[in-house]
Amino acid sequence: MDSSASCPVCNQSFPPSLLHWHVDTHFDSEQEENLVVSNDEQLARDLELAEQLSLSHALLNQSLDQAEPLLIASQTRSSFHRVATDGGLMTLLYERLQSGGAKFNGQGKGKYAAAAPATTLLAGYVDHYQSRRGEDSGWGCGYRNIQMLASHLLNSRPDAREVLFGGSGFVPDIPFLQGWLEVAWRKGFDPLGSQQFHHSIRGSKRWIGTTECAALLRSFGIRARIVDFGPKKLESLFLSVPGTSVAPPKKKKSSLVRGPMDRYLVRNDTRKDDSGQTDSNSCGEPQSSGKNRFCNGGTSPNNPSDAQVLVDWVWNYFSHQGTKVSAQQQRVVMTGKAPLYFQHDGHSRTIVGIQCKQQHSYGSPEYTLLILDPAHRTEALERSIKTNGQWEKSIKRGVHTLKKSQYQICYIDPGIASIEEMELLKNLDSTYFEL
């Protein structure tokens, strides 16, 4: 019989690996949205979490054939703030961009100042999932971005809705995403990643990245692909494999490193516990002396012009047969494309679009990524977009802000993989672009 331990606060029993996570929820000094939660509400939250984690833990002793039905039967829908607009947050953003970005000068006073015309390409439907204090703040950004990506697939692709999460039709809570990731590993998806996590992730606060996102989605037949952006000298650390255009004939993968993001994550996942101090502005990026603690420990940020390679790729991904930029007309296009899982040193976010402005008829265009961050509050984003407040500071990121030495993107191709293709998807690879 499995050993268990009792919570010192509520006396609920938990597996030892999950007890620390549960106890944290009792000591959240600042409740969500600054609301005071009653004892009854806190007890209901604790009981719900206890049920989720206990059912998830039961998977440990189940065969693979038994594990999937148990997950399907026990998984619960992840809560999120629903934007009160038909079409959700992306429709709200579309309408704001379509207005031309006009804003008040000052505290709601003065004349409108119209922004320069731009062409903006947006993903389809996406729900924003925010990290929550006492639940996943400081480590859960990877799961939140998976939830955002899954929300698009469930709402926009009937074929994906049939296969994702056992056909449940909803986005599960983090404990059950962890359960599905373990099922993916047991099916043989991303064996090197499974080895790095010792084949177990449930109840852990260890950070995940692009490769875990791809492995989880591929296990359902979703064609998740990975793109690496980084310097030439670190090409050997990327996921490109023999047979691709950038890999040497006999390149060997490290048993510990599958990609630039994973090298960073693995280095920090070897801590003795999950309670290290983190920067509140990132998801699991340790406070440091200012040096870049990524693959090579370099201290020099990218030249902003280097990041143009990444931005060009994003533009091509969202564009339809080379969408052209007009210097005279404001254009906002809902492309229907899936958002992008966007990973870099210490944090991951979701790219939901890209904007391009032609500064002059002869000048270079200016690109801006449109990004949803799990660290931001959905309600605040909704309010700022509706009132034309400071939403641009939260969502827009210019090329000059892309100063990391390496980036990794997960994107989704159309269609569902066949049984034969599923076997090929078990081993992860990537397309490499030099920064």
Side-chain angles (χ1 to χ4, degrees), residues 59-108:
L59 292 169
L60 282 171
N61 298 317
Q62 302 294 328
S63 67
L64 184 58
D65 290 339
Q66 295 170 320
E68 286 195 75
L70 179 59
L71 262 178
I72 294 170
S74 62
Q75 65 185 341
T76 57
R77 185 190 303 265
S78 183
S79 62
F80 65 97
H81 175 78
R82 293 186 180 275
V83 174
T85 300
D86 290 342
L89 187 66
M90 293 302 294
T91 296
L92 197 64
L93 180 59
Y94 171 86
E95 292 172 350
R96 174 54 60 200
L97 290 163
Q98 190 79 327
S99 70
K103 63 177 67 177
F104 279 117
N105 179 19
Q107 302 291 327

Side-chain angles (χ1 to χ4, degrees), residues 210-260:
T210 317
T211 49
E212 285 70 46
C213 172
L216 190 155
L217 294 177
R218 285 183 174 198
S219 70
F220 297 110
I222 304 297
R223 291 171 170 147
R225 316 292 188 190
I226 296 175
V227 184
D228 278 309
F229 300 88
K232 184 71 174 177
K233 63 181 179 181
L234 296 178
E235 181 184 348
S236 63
L237 300 178
F238 299 146
L239 285 166
S240 303
V241 295
T244 66
S245 60
V246 298
K250 295 183 179 180
K251 178 181 291 186
K252 295 182 179 180
K253 291 183 181 179
S254 166
S255 61
L256 294 177
V257 179
R258 295 167 295 134

Side-chain angles (χ1 to χ4, degrees), residues 217-425:
L217 294 177
R218 285 183 174 198
S219 70
F220 297 110
I222 304 297
R223 291 171 170 147
R225 316 292 188 190
I226 296 175
V227 184
D228 278 309
F229 300 88
K232 184 71 174 177
K233 63 181 179 181
L234 296 178
E235 181 184 348
S236 63
L237 300 178
F238 299 146
L239 285 166
S240 303
V241 295
T244 66
S245 60
V246 298
K250 295 183 179 180
K251 178 181 291 186
K252 295 182 179 180
K253 291 183 181 179
S254 166
S255 61
L256 294 177
V257 179
R258 295 167 295 134
M261 305 304 120
D262 298 275
R263 181 181 179 95
Y264 178 82
L265 298 177
V266 169
R267 176 186 301 175
N268 291 282
D269 280 341
T270 56
R271 294 176 300 172
K272 294 183 179 179
D273 57 60
D274 293 314
S275 59
Q277 296 226 344
T278 59
D279 183 345
S280 61
N281 293 322
S282 66
C283 178
E285 182 173 10
Q287 295 174 351
S288 65
S289 59
K291 292 185 177 181
N292 180 352
R293 297 173 58 189
F294 209 52
C295 287
N296 60 348
T299 58
S300 299
N302 273 358
N303 183 325
S305 62
D306 295 340
Q308 189 63 44
V309 174
L310 185 154
V311 173
D312 288 342
W313 186 94
V314 174
W315 176 266
N316 290 332
Y317 169 80
F318 282 111
S319 66
H320 290 287
Q321 299 178 349
T323 304
K324 297 186 182 297
V325 181
S326 171
Q328 290 79 34
Q329 185 181 8
Q330 183 78 16
R331 297 178 59 207
V332 185
V333 181
M334 291 288 279
T335 67
K337 298 294 288 286
L340 301 170
Y341 185 114
F342 183 45
Q343 179 86 40
H344 54 79
D345 180 0
H347 194 32
S348 62
R349 296 172 288 173
T350 297
I351 299 175
V352 295
I354 185 168
Q355 186 176 78
C356 183
K357 295 179 181 179
Q358 186 69 49
Q359 302 291 51
H360 304 284
S361 59
Y362 55 85
S364 299
E366 176 185 289
Y367 291 90
T368 303
L369 297 179
L370 304 178
I371 292 175
L372 295 182
D373 193 328
H376 294 155
R377 290 171 50 200
T378 314
E379 188 174 4
L381 284 175
E382 178 187 17
R383 183 169 55 250
S384 65
I385 295 174
K386 282 183 174 179
T387 62
N388 205 16
Q390 297 185 342
W391 63 273
E392 292 178 298
K393 291 184 177 180
S394 299
I395 293 177
K396 289 189 174 184
R397 293 292 180 270
V399 179
H400 67 282
T401 68
L402 302 177
K403 298 180 180 180
K404 302 293 185 180
S405 60
Q406 296 153 265
Y407 294 90
Q408 204 169 46
I409 285 176
C410 179
Y411 69 97
I412 307 298
D413 270 341
I416 302 297
S418 64
I419 295 176
E420 294 77 12
E421 187 182 352
M422 291 275 280
E423 288 300 313
L424 298 176
L425 291 176

Side-chain angles (χ1 to χ4, degrees), residues 7 10 12-15 18-27 41-57 74 76 133-136 139 144 173-176 178 203 205:
C7 171
C10 66
Q12 291 287 326
S13 295
F14 292 89
L18 305 181
L19 182 62
H20 180 76
W21 186 4
H22 166 74
V23 173
D24 277 352
T25 66
H26 290 291
F27 299 99
E41 290 173 320
Q42 182 64 52
L43 179 59
R45 181 185 296 178
D46 292 340
L47 291 174
E48 180 182 6
L49 180 61
E51 181 179 3
Q52 290 177 10
L53 299 184
S54 296
L55 286 169
S56 181
H57 180 67
S74 62
T76 57
R133 297 184 184 94
E135 185 175 342
D136 68 294
W139 59 271
R144 297 305 184 187
D173 276 334
I174 288 178
F176 298 102
Q178 293 178 329
K205 293 183 179 180

